[in-house]
Amino acid sequence: MSSRFLGNSVKLENVYIASTGTTCGPLEYQGPLGTYFDKGFGDYHCGEDSFEKAERKMLRDALDICLKREKLKYKDIDLYMGGDLLNQITTVNYLAREIPKPFVGIYGACSSFCLSMAMSSLLIEGGFIEKAVAMVSSHNATAERQYRYPVEYGAQKKETTTFTATGAISTLLTNQPTDVRVEALTLGKVIDYSQDDPNDMGRAMAPAAFDTITSHFQDLKRSFQDYDLVVTGDLSTYGHKILKEMMQRHKIDVVHYNDCGCMLYDVAHQEVFQGGSGCACSGLVTMGYLYPMLKEKKYKRVLIVATGALLSPMMSAQKDTIPCVAHAISLEVVE
């Protein structure tokens, strides 16, 4: 039986993953998990005449792959929900013009993957709908142009920089039993540790990840030992280290922990600075890699904690600090 909110968390009973679709850019396809993704593009334009249109193509392809696996059409889904990093969530909103069913756009920055999964799951668990598609995307060139400097500038990067992942993910959620279900979720609070550098996202987001993970454990009476793997979304090597130090200071035993930004790339050999970030980072690792591992029962339960820096280019120009958030979903094998 599903629960009411336990603090910031909810236990779920009737939400299952039916299918997924994943597409990615060249560096992601060449990375250690590249063979797990459904489709990889050889360049950042993806056959389109702008990076923004390329991101939309990736998301459309991911959606088509996801639905084709279940022999479904756009009209067969009750609700679509998703987000991206662009102003006015441009990618998902413009793609939604092609979808003849209700669409809800959400924005959680890089945490949008878990946020869209969580909100879709709540609607299914509540009995309001039977099928939902949660979808997100990000693109290195579109995000850099909006939040920092266009890639054409060749601007010098700081050592603490993270690399926005290029990719798109669509996930079909349903109330009909499958091999893997969404068994719990935790919605995060907005946390601001007075970090104002948009080129140091790991340090900004680590406190939000810490708050959501500890809330999840407290609400559900769990610990790291209750999961085969706990992954954060976008902290990369620098933020990953900071989060572990925060846990250790609070005497929390950290085991089975990794970060999607470290898993998506070969950080030592690919030019991605500290590692990955972006909506597609946690989405690609989760639905491209962890979901198949769950289906094959190599993992029984995993916790995904997607982190997002809610920075605004306008406020960054005013040197305002960066609020951050992290949302979590727990996936487990159906026995």
Side-chain angles (χ1 to χ4, degrees), residues 260-271:
C260 295
C262 303
M263 299 168 68
L264 185 60
Y265 302 105
D266 181 350
V267 177
H269 298 99
Q270 291 182 293
E271 295 183 2

Side-chain angles (χ1 to χ4, degrees), residues 183-186 212-213 216-217 222 224 227-232 290 301-305 328-331:
E183 68 92 18
L185 60 89
T186 300
T212 296
I213 292 171
H216 181 85
F217 290 164
R222 296 178 183 175
F224 279 97
Y227 292 91
D228 297 308
L229 183 65
V230 175
V231 293
T232 43
L290 297 180
R301 181 192 283 170
V302 298
L303 180 67
I304 300 94
V305 187
I329 56 171
S330 173
L331 307 181

Side-chain angles (χ1 to χ4, degrees), residues 29-30 35 53 78 106 109 136 159 207 211 237-238 258 282 307:
Y29 202 58
Q30 295 161 12
T35 57
K53 290 179 181 178
D78 299 316
I106 56 96
V136 295
E159 184 180 354
D211 187 82
T237 55
Y238 185 38
N258 209 335
S282 57
T307 48

Side-chain angles (χ1 to χ4, degrees), residues 235-242 259 261-262 267 273-275:
L235 302 184
S236 295
T237 55
Y238 185 38
H240 175 268
K241 179 181 178 181
I242 293 172
D259 184 80
C262 303
V267 177
F273 305 96
Q274 291 293 321

Side-chain angles (χ1 to χ4, degrees), residues 160 193 195 200-210 235-250 254 257 274:
T160 54
Y193 263 48
Q195 155 71 314
D200 190 354
M201 292 293 90
R203 183 157 62 99
M205 293 188 292
F210 174 84
L235 302 184
S236 295
T237 55
Y238 185 38
H240 175 268
K241 179 181 178 181
I242 293 172
L243 179 61
K244 289 181 71 174
E245 290 176 353
M246 293 180 72
M247 293 289 180
Q248 290 164 2
R249 288 177 185 175
H250 286 79
V254 179
Y257 166 57
Q274 291 293 321

Side-chain angles (χ1 to χ4, degrees), residues 23-298:
T23 59
C24 67
L27 276 181
E28 295 73 21
Y29 202 58
Q30 295 161 12
L33 303 182
T35 57
Y36 290 93
F37 306 138
D38 294 313
K39 183 175 182 179
F41 289 92
D43 62 65
Y44 287 104
H45 279 95
C46 306
E48 301 292 333
D49 59 11
S50 76
F51 295 131
E52 288 74 18
K53 290 179 181 178
E55 183 173 344
R56 197 186 318 161
K57 177 177 175 56
M58 287 194 307
L59 186 57
R60 183 188 297 109
D61 286 357
L63 176 58
D64 289 344
I65 292 168
C66 177
L67 296 183
K68 185 177 180 180
R69 284 194 164 121
E70 291 296 300
K71 298 181 174 58
L72 296 173
K73 300 185 181 300
Y74 288 2
K75 65 181 178 61
D76 298 322
I77 306 304
D78 299 316
L79 178 74
Y80 292 80
M81 183 176 295
D84 56 78
L85 293 180
L86 301 187
N87 287 341
Q88 291 80 49
I89 47 175
T90 299
T91 303
V92 291
N93 276 332
Y94 275 63
L95 177 59
R97 298 180 302 183
E98 305 171 24
I99 298 173
K101 297 303 287 283
F103 170 75
V104 176
I106 56 96
Y107 185 78
C110 301
S111 72
S112 294
F113 168 66
C114 278
L115 180 58
S116 63
M117 289 283 290
M119 301 311 293
S120 299
S121 295
L122 287 173
L123 288 170
I124 292 173
E125 183 75 6
F128 300 104
I129 57 176
E130 295 181 356
K131 296 184 184 71
V133 167
M135 54 187 186
V136 295
S137 67
S138 59
H139 190 296
N140 184 266
T142 65
E144 287 297 310
R145 177 151 56 195
Q146 178 168 292
Y147 290 107
R148 298 174 187 90
Y149 300 100
V151 291
E152 297 89 339
Y153 283 11
Q156 185 70 33
K157 303 285 188 179
K158 292 184 63 174
E159 184 180 354
T160 54
T161 297
T162 52
F163 185 86
T164 304
T166 299
I169 303 91
S170 289
T171 306
L172 174 60
L173 298 170
T174 176
N175 61 358
Q176 298 301 308
T178 66
D179 295 334
V180 180
R181 71 188 185 100
V182 183
E183 68 92 18
L185 60 89
T186 300
L187 298 178
K189 303 191 295 289
V190 174
I191 305 293
D192 189 336
Y193 263 48
S194 300
Q195 155 71 314
D196 64 2
D197 186 353
N199 294 296
D200 190 354
M201 292 293 90
R203 183 157 62 99
M205 293 188 292
F210 174 84
D211 187 82
T212 296
I213 292 171
T214 53
S215 293
H216 181 85
F217 290 164
Q218 180 179 347
D219 295 343
L220 302 180
K221 306 296 187 292
R222 296 178 183 175
S223 68
F224 279 97
Q225 285 80 3
D226 291 298
Y227 292 91
D228 297 308
L229 183 65
V230 175
V231 293
T232 43
D234 316 86
L235 302 184
S236 295
T237 55
Y238 185 38
H240 175 268
K241 179 181 178 181
I242 293 172
L243 179 61
K244 289 181 71 174
E245 290 176 353
M246 293 180 72
M247 293 289 180
Q248 290 164 2
R249 288 177 185 175
H250 286 79
K251 303 188 185 311
I252 298 173
D253 187 19
V254 179
V255 293
H256 317 306
Y257 166 57
N258 209 335
D259 184 80
C260 295
C262 303
M263 299 168 68
L264 185 60
Y265 302 105
D266 181 350
V267 177
H269 298 99
Q270 291 182 293
E271 295 183 2
V272 292
F273 305 96
Q274 291 293 321
S277 62
C279 304
C281 184
S282 57
L284 286 173
V285 173
T286 301
M287 290 305 158
Y289 174 65
L290 297 180
Y291 174 58
M293 294 297 103
L294 288 161
K295 290 183 71 175
E296 295 171 13
K297 298 188 177 180
K298 294 181 179 179

